[in-house]
Each structure stands twice: as structure tokens, then as C-alpha cells.
Amino acid sequence: MFKFIVKLHPEISIKSKSVRKRFTKLLASNIKNMVIRVHEDAKVIQNWDNIVVMCKSQDEATRLGLIDALKRVPGIVQFIEVQETTFESLDDIYQVALSLNKDSLKGKTFCVRCKRQGKHDFTSSDVERYVGGGLNQNIEGAQVKLQKPEVTVKIEVKNEFAYIVKETHLGLGGFPLPTQEDVLSLMSGGFDSGVASYLMMRKGARTHFLFFNLGGATHEIGVKQASYYLWKQFSSTHRVKFIKVDFEPVVAEILENIENSQMGVVLKRMMMRAGSAIAQKLGIDALVTGESVGQVSSQTLANLNVIDRVTETLILRPLIQHDKQEIIDIARKIGTSEMAEAMPEFCGVISKKPTVKAKLDKIIAEEENFDFDVLDTVVNNARIMCIKEIEAETKEEVKEAESAAELPEGAIVIDIRSPEEEDHDPLELDGIEVKHLPFYKLATQFGDLPKGEDYYLYCKKGVMSQLQALILHEEGYTNVKVYRPE
């Protein structure tokens, strides 16, 4: 039989009696929901100072599955895997300890540590001396060392039972779901938004996902995959929502009507406006972003201050003081780094010289040129779904449009960069016709181009052109490829 003892987070233990009881009950319920998926006979017992997980199976795959499940439950700081035994004497405890440690202690220094509860005719120190002496005498090369040993043999005695610790496993820490209020996380699929979402789940907040689509179907599939993974790994004990907003019309409005250096801040303010409206509709009181001070131009303190002024909704930034490498390290630990590395950066939404000290009055003046009916429309058309509904979609293969480093005779290249980018660095190709059509106008104007020609989309990084080519393919324009010069 496998047995695990889940220790309560110290921050739970110091809560008032009623709060501690509620938190422990939620944690036990979440643990049960996870472990019964591993084995239907797994049992969870809630005690005042711990939670016990037991399963009669002897299958090693089941044991590993239980360990993996417990490691992914927010609110568990650590849990110990134990061998439970009854005893009549100290020698009974020693014999079990010997059978569990005879191989691992060979040639190593060790000590024995015991915790005891209940009425016994021996002390914790008596257990340590008796068991330690026996192991020292009967395991080849083993040597007692009380300070900084290589191995610590841990024993807990509670009333008529003794628990010899086989292994201690670390959990996520944090608080059980959903001990905090719901939050709505702005999810781009990159390193920052994924880690920020995870940290809020870990803190006990049921985290819903809000996706502003700037890059078509391919971007949507990637973000859905990342969101579903995070939910499945760390939050699947509770239902959450995934909300998609088609933000390309908003980007187009910004690119055409907002002064270049102010675009980044205005874009973020539009996202906060939209996020606040959707959060209010869902009864959620806080937004979550992956912003970190100084990481990019829109994330200076001055710009964040101007961005926050657009809404009264609480904006949480769990990564605000993290370095980029720290964020990447967390992403690797939780398993989102590969998805984040594959997530494209969108080359058409970046100002040439973005402001790092936005002034509120200037931003408000710029926003007077913005048609807010566009923002209202995309918010009203937002698609809200249960995260479970996208399971099948996360398995969908993402196709790639054909790309070419060299262009055939008669090819027509369409430069889809923003007008500012094209003016700054014009694309000139000998013997090849180059047309300029910004990506945000492709959907409405590509159909006006002559039929029967081969078109090659171009942008600096090749990412936006790949995404836009896929969108055009979906609309039946199979004569569209991507130009990717070496």
C-alpha cells in the first residue's frame, strides 16, 4: 500500500480556526479530485494537522502517478512518502527502518531524526539512539554523523503507529484553489503571461484566460495550447473560461490614427479597457498581466502608471520585479518554455521610437482620434468558452505556408509591414515587383489584386507574413506564399 502524508502550509496553520478548517477542506477536496484520476481506490483522509493519501495498489506506475498528481496541487508545500507500521517495541520500528534503508545507507554518513506524539514509555531521543545504533552496526560502511550527514532517516511516531519516511517530495506551495477570488489573466502564450498565470493559480486564485488575437488562427491555436496546458497541470480541479477577442481591428485603428511613439501605450490601454469590460461581465474583480518593470518600453513605471489610469479594475502583476531569466527559469520548471519559445513575436505592432515616459494628457489627446466603436464591437463579439471545450483544438496540427528564400520569375512580393516600417527600410528587389499592403488591410483588400498571380508576403521576421498567409489560405487564396530571404 502507498501512503503519503501532506503537511499543511505554515500560512494555513496560523490562520484562525474557521479559516484553517475551510482551507484544509478545500485542499483535501482538490487532492481527492486529482488522485482518483490516478487510481479509483485512492483515499484521502483529512486531519487537523495533515492530510493522508492512501492507495492499496502495489503498481509502481500508480505510485509515480500519485506523486506527480500531488506535486501539481496548489497549497501543498511538501508531502512525505511513508511506510506505516504498528509496533510493540523499539526493535519493531528498527526492523522496518533497516529494511527500507539497508541499500541507501551503504558507505554513507547518516543520522536518525524522530518526531513523536502520544503516550509512550520512550522518548524521541530513545528512538533515534536505538534505530541509529542498529543501522550503524548492521549496514556495511554506514557511519553516524549528527551534523550535516549525507542521509537523514526520518521517523514519526503517532500513538500506536510508526511512520518511516521513505522520501520527501516538494509541492507547489501557495494556497488551495479557490481560496482567493477569481482573476482574468491576459494570455499571449509567451514566457511572461504563462508564468504570471501559474503564479496566480499557485496563490489559490481560479485563473481564467483572456486572449487578444493579433495574429490569426495560428496564434490562437498556440495560445489555446498553452492555456489548456496550464489549466490541466495546475488548475484542473476547477472549471475556468477561455475568452478570445479579435483585436486586429483595434490594432489597425491604432496604426492608422495614433502617433507612432504612443502606439504601445495606447494598445495596452485598449487591452485594459476590453479586459475590464469582459471581467465585469464575468463577475471578476482583477486582471493579471505578465509585465515586469523596465522589460520593454511600455513597462516603465511612467507608462504603467498611464496604462493603469484607464480602468478602476485591479491590475495584478506577479512578475513586476522578476528578471527575464528568472521568468524563463520558472517557465522551464513548469513546462511552458517550449511553447513560449515557439510563440511568435508580432512584427507589425511595434513603434519605431516608443515613448518610455508617456504623459496622460497627450495619450488622452491621441485617443480622441480613435474610433471607440471598433473597441466596443470586438468586446461584444468576444467568444467565451469553457477551457474543456478546447481540448480537441489543442491537438490540432498547425500547418505552415510554403516559404521561399529565392523568388521565381514573375513573382509579386507584398510587403505587409506597417507604413512606418516600410518607410524606414524600403524593400527593393531587382526584377521583382513589390507592392505595399499593410497586414491589417489584407483581409479587405487582397481580393482586389489580379487573380492568377503568385504572391509572396514579406515582413522583417517572417512571422506575421506566415500567419497572414495561413489566413488567406483559409479564405481560398492558395496562391499565397511567404518570402523569407536568407
Side-chain angles (χ1 to χ4, degrees):
M1 181 176 74
F2 303 124
K3 186 166 187 174
F4 303 90
I5 299 176
V6 177
K7 301 291 188 177
L8 297 185
H9 192 303
E11 290 189 40
I12 296 177
S13 300
I14 63 175
K15 302 281 187 192
S16 67
K17 184 176 180 180
S18 60
V19 173
R20 174 174 175 168
K21 192 173 182 179
R22 178 170 66 87
F23 276 36
T24 307
K25 184 177 180 180
L26 283 171
L27 181 56
S29 176
N30 293 344
I31 291 172
K32 184 176 181 180
N33 286 337
M34 291 294 285
V35 297
I36 61 174
R37 300 174 190 176
V38 179
H39 198 287
E40 60 183 7
D41 292 331
K43 297 187 181 301
V44 177
I45 300 172
Q46 177 185 336
N47 300 315
W48 174 248
D49 59 349
N50 63 50
I51 297 170
V52 177
V53 178
M54 296 185 297
C55 184
K56 292 182 179 180
S57 171
Q58 298 295 325
D59 180 46
E60 179 65 10
T62 299
R63 171 184 170 271
L64 295 175
L66 292 171
I67 293 170
D68 177 67
L70 291 171
K71 283 183 175 181
R72 294 187 286 108
V73 178
I76 297 178
V77 176
Q78 67 174 22
F79 56 99
I80 56 176
E81 186 177 359
V82 301
Q83 178 69 51
E84 181 185 88
T85 182
T86 57
F87 63 92
E88 294 182 359
S89 66
L90 290 180
D91 192 66
D92 294 336
I93 299 175
Y94 158 70
Q95 293 296 337
V96 177
L98 176 64
S99 67
L100 292 175
N101 294 281
K102 59 185 178 182
D103 294 327
S104 61
L105 292 184
K106 284 183 179 179
K108 294 183 179 179
T109 59
F110 76 96
C111 71
V112 178
R113 293 287 180 252
C114 177
K115 293 181 180 179
R116 185 184 63 85
Q117 293 182 23
K119 294 182 178 181
H120 306 96
D121 59 0
F122 55 82
T123 66
S124 297
S125 295
D126 292 335
V127 177
E128 293 173 356
R129 284 192 293 268
Y130 189 95
V131 175
L135 296 176
N136 187 57
Q137 293 177 21
N138 293 285
I139 298 178
E140 182 182 352
Q143 183 179 354
V144 173
K145 184 180 180 182
L146 299 181
Q147 298 294 326
K148 297 183 179 179
E150 294 177 271
V151 179
T152 299
V153 177
K154 297 178 182 179
I155 300 174
E156 294 191 15
V157 178
K158 190 171 184 179
N159 300 321
E160 71 273 22
F161 294 100
Y163 304 95
I164 291 81
V165 177
K166 299 166 69 175
E167 191 172 351
T168 299
H169 305 277
L170 297 179
L172 292 182
F175 289 132
L177 287 163
T179 52
Q180 312 303 314
E181 287 77 7
D182 288 13
V183 298
L184 184 60
S185 182
L186 278 59
M187 188 71 178
S188 68
F191 288 103
D192 302 341
S193 62
V195 172
S197 299
Y198 156 76
L199 290 177
M200 294 309 301
M201 295 174 189
R202 179 183 175 274
K203 204 61 179 175
R206 179 159 43 189
T207 303
H208 306 270
F209 300 98
L210 174 59
F211 167 51
F212 293 112
N213 194 340
L214 305 178
T218 305
H219 189 200
E220 179 180 341
I221 291 171
V223 174
K224 282 181 175 178
Q225 289 174 333
S227 302
Y228 182 82
Y229 172 85
L230 285 165
W231 170 78
K232 189 72 172 177
Q233 286 291 104
F234 309 112
S235 183
S236 63
T237 53
H238 293 81
R239 291 188 176 186
V240 305
K241 294 179 174 62
F242 181 92
I243 302 97
K244 183 191 80 167
V245 181
D246 179 10
F247 229 56
E248 285 194 75
V250 175
V251 172
E253 186 71 15
I254 290 173
L255 289 171
E256 290 198 341
N257 298 302
I258 303 299
E259 194 268 316
N260 186 276
S261 65
Q262 313 298 312
M263 287 180 179
V265 173
V266 171
L267 177 63
K268 287 292 182 71
R269 281 168 59 91
M270 295 301 169
M271 287 180 173
M272 296 307 165
R273 284 187 174 99
S276 297
I278 292 169
Q280 184 176 10
K281 184 186 299 185
L282 298 176
I284 297 172
D285 295 328
L287 301 177
V288 177
T289 79
E291 292 162 317
S292 173
V293 168
Q295 191 175 111
V296 296
S297 60
S298 66
Q299 295 175 20
T300 62
L301 288 177
N303 287 354
L304 291 175
N305 181 32
V306 171
I307 291 167
D308 283 10
R309 299 294 185 90
V310 80
T311 178
E312 294 183 1
T313 302
L314 175 64
I315 301 174
L316 301 174
R317 296 182 171 95
L319 303 180
I320 195 66
Q321 55 78 41
H322 281 59
D323 295 333
K324 190 66 176 185
Q325 189 57 52
E326 293 174 321
I327 296 169
I328 292 172
D329 290 344
I330 296 174
R332 286 176 179 156
K333 185 179 76 170
I334 65 177
T336 60
S337 61
E338 288 189 7
M339 288 180 282
E341 287 168 355
M343 194 62 59
E345 300 244 352
F346 296 97
C347 51
V349 198
I350 301 173
S351 302
K352 276 290 172 286
K353 294 182 178 180
T355 181
V356 294
K357 290 186 177 181
K359 302 296 183 183
L360 183 60
D361 55 351
K362 185 172 183 179
I363 291 293
I364 291 174
E366 284 294 323
E367 289 181 345
E368 290 179 357
N369 300 319
F370 186 91
D371 182 0
F372 279 89
D373 286 341
V374 174
L375 184 66
D376 293 339
T377 298
V378 300
V379 170
N380 291 333
N381 292 336
R383 182 187 175 194
I384 301 173
M385 68 184 85
C386 175
I387 195 79
K388 287 186 175 181
E389 294 177 29
I390 68 174
E391 181 173 8
E393 296 179 48
T394 63
K395 300 175 182 177
E396 183 178 341
E397 291 288 335
V398 180
K399 299 178 181 178
E400 285 196 2
E402 182 181 342
S403 61
E406 296 183 2
L407 297 168
E409 185 179 349
I412 300 174
V413 172
I414 301 179
D415 187 342
I416 67 169
R417 295 175 297 169
S418 66
E420 291 80 7
E421 285 185 283
E422 196 271 337
D423 289 341
H424 178 74
D425 184 21
L427 178 66
E428 297 178 356
L429 301 171
D430 292 338
I432 298 294
E433 181 181 0
V434 178
K435 295 179 179 290
H436 181 66
L437 186 60
F439 74 93
Y440 52 86
K441 292 184 177 180
L442 279 175
T444 56
Q445 297 185 18
F446 185 84
D448 297 334
L449 297 175
K451 307 297 188 293
E453 303 286 352
D454 288 330
Y455 295 100
Y456 291 79
L457 306 187
Y458 170 80
C459 70
K460 186 174 182 180
K461 296 182 180 179
V463 173
M464 186 64 77
S465 52
Q466 178 68 229
L467 294 170
Q468 293 297 329
L470 289 172
I471 293 172
L472 292 171
H473 287 182
E474 292 174 1
E475 296 176 359
Y477 298 108
T478 57
N479 57 332
V480 178
K481 301 175 184 177
V482 175
Y483 175 45
R484 293 289 302 274
E486 295 295 343

